[in-house]
Amino acid sequence: MPQRGPRGVLPALDRLERWSGGDHIIESVRHAVRSLPLGRGRDALHGRIGLGHPVHPLLVQVPVGTWLSATVLDLLPGERRGQRVLIGVGVAAALPAAASGWVDWAELHHQQQRVGLVHALSNAAAVGAFTASLVARCRGSHTLGKGLGLAGLALTGVGGALGGHMAYRQASGANHAEYVPHVVTPGWHPLGNVSDFPVGRAVRRQIDDVPVMVVREAEGAVHVLADHCSHMAGPLSEGDITDGCVRCPWHGSVFRLADGWNVKGPATAPQPAFDSRITDGRVEVRIRQRAQTDLESADTA
Ligand code: FES
């Protein structure tokens, strides 16, 4: 008897993650989004500035909330102006939400981008349905407007489910270095002789199974950061070292060697940093317990 593969939503999403048929479109869109001259606005859209985690999930609350509220009001007799206002606010708020989503999406890996493209298309269709609903209502076609609103809400649900899959199953936007302070045992750890670390070059080592990157400065200071980038776990020890910072080789996030602060995104979280000392010619390190707010004040000083 022929074996049947698993069915359901999750296997379908797994197949979508592996489907490479649309990768040429993804590559073109990714290139276009990355080429936009957004300046510091790009980091703001990522959520690096002032928030410390992706801003996209926050911004989508407005369209989802207003559209759901309008649909609930549609079930009640009477009131019509309120629905129009709610739908209009949701359509307007969808624009910054989409902008933040696209800049995040452009810095993901292929499997995430495949799901993300369908997520974006569902949401774009939802914006279209609610815009059409608003137009129909303004023209007095309330039944049509309600129907289009229901269709828009269903599309919003599909987009939201795909967004949840990206965030929680594929870890898009999650801090990929958050685990480090939890698995490194407290206290000083030997790392090797000072002479093992060439000046100005990153060297990879392990502490309690956690990969770290070590950079010795000409003046003698030894900087140690977790090696897996907080953005998507890229290997920082393979990145460029310039001006007291390391640039991630995968998507270009820049971290200050002295304290791990994310000077430039897409990483929204700083990199775990270690204190170091030299005892009898040997380098020892321990995980640094420092609040993110301390790093932010150093960033703006
Ligand atoms: S993994 Fe994306 S910037 Fe480092």
Side-chain angles (χ1 to χ4, degrees):
M1 204 171 152
Q3 292 275 319
R4 282 198 173 163
R7 295 178 176 217
V9 174
L10 201 50
L13 288 173
D14 285 341
R15 283 195 294 277
L16 175 58
E17 287 180 22
R18 292 195 301 272
W19 186 68
S20 59
D23 281 2
H24 59 292
I25 300 172
I26 286 176
E27 192 49 42
S28 302
V29 179
R30 188 184 78 93
H31 180 72
V33 174
R34 291 185 108 193
S35 303
L36 291 172
L38 297 175
R40 280 176 64 83
R42 186 176 295 273
D43 271 6
L45 287 169
H46 281 308
R48 186 194 79 81
I49 298 171
L51 197 58
H53 61 77
V55 72
H56 179 66
L58 193 63
L59 294 177
V60 300
Q61 302 305 312
V62 181
V64 171
T66 52
W67 292 340
L68 180 61
S69 302
T71 307
V72 170
L73 287 181
D74 275 345
L75 301 175
L76 305 175
E79 180 62 60
R80 284 179 178 163
R81 184 168 176 271
Q83 287 95 311
R84 292 199 298 272
V85 171
L86 285 167
I87 291 171
V89 168
V91 169
L95 297 178
S100 64
W102 279 116
V103 297
D104 285 348
W105 173 88
E107 311 297 343
L108 298 176
H109 59 61
H110 278 131
Q111 289 79 4
Q112 294 164 329
Q113 286 179 325
R114 290 165 188 156
V115 179
L117 191 62
V118 181
H119 163 77
L121 291 174
S122 304
N123 289 333
V127 173
F130 275 108
T131 303
S133 169
L134 183 59
V135 171
R137 289 164 197 259
C138 289
R139 289 179 175 168
S141 304
H142 297 290
T143 305
L144 177 62
K146 287 181 181 181
L148 286 166
L150 277 176
L153 196 63
L155 288 162
T156 305
V158 172
L162 292 171
H165 181 85
M166 293 173 69
Y168 299 112
R169 188 170 174 92
Q170 297 185 295
S172 314
N175 176 358
H176 287 257
E178 199 279 337
Y179 72 99
V180 171
H182 306 290
V183 299
V184 174
T185 49
W188 292 98
H189 299 257
L191 213 51
N193 295 321
V194 176
S195 56
D196 294 342
F197 303 101
V199 171
R201 267 197 20 228
V203 174
R204 195 171 194 262
R205 286 286 186 275
Q206 295 264 122
I207 302 173
D208 284 345
D209 295 332
V210 173
V212 296
M213 63 160 290
V214 186
V215 179
R216 179 159 70 101
E217 286 188 344
E219 296 77 29
V222 177
H223 301 301
V224 183
L225 301 180
D227 192 41
H228 288 167
C229 176
S230 66
H231 176 235
M232 295 288 291
L236 292 186
S237 54
E238 295 174 20
D240 293 333
I241 309 287
T242 344
D243 298 332
C245 294
V246 57
R247 187 174 193 277
C248 179
W250 282 9
H251 310 100
S253 290
V254 176
F255 300 94
R256 201 160 48 203
L257 292 171
D259 57 12
W261 177 244
N262 47 328
V263 175
K264 180 178 170 299
T268 55
Q271 199 64 11
F274 293 73
D275 294 320
S276 69
R277 68 183 184 188
I278 297 173
T279 308
D280 298 330
R282 294 182 64 78
V283 179
E284 296 180 330
V285 299
R286 70 177 176 192
I287 189 73
R288 186 177 303 168
Q289 302 295 343
R290 191 173 178 187
Q292 184 181 9
T293 44
D294 295 338
L295 301 185
E296 283 189 82
S297 55
D299 188 44
T300 53

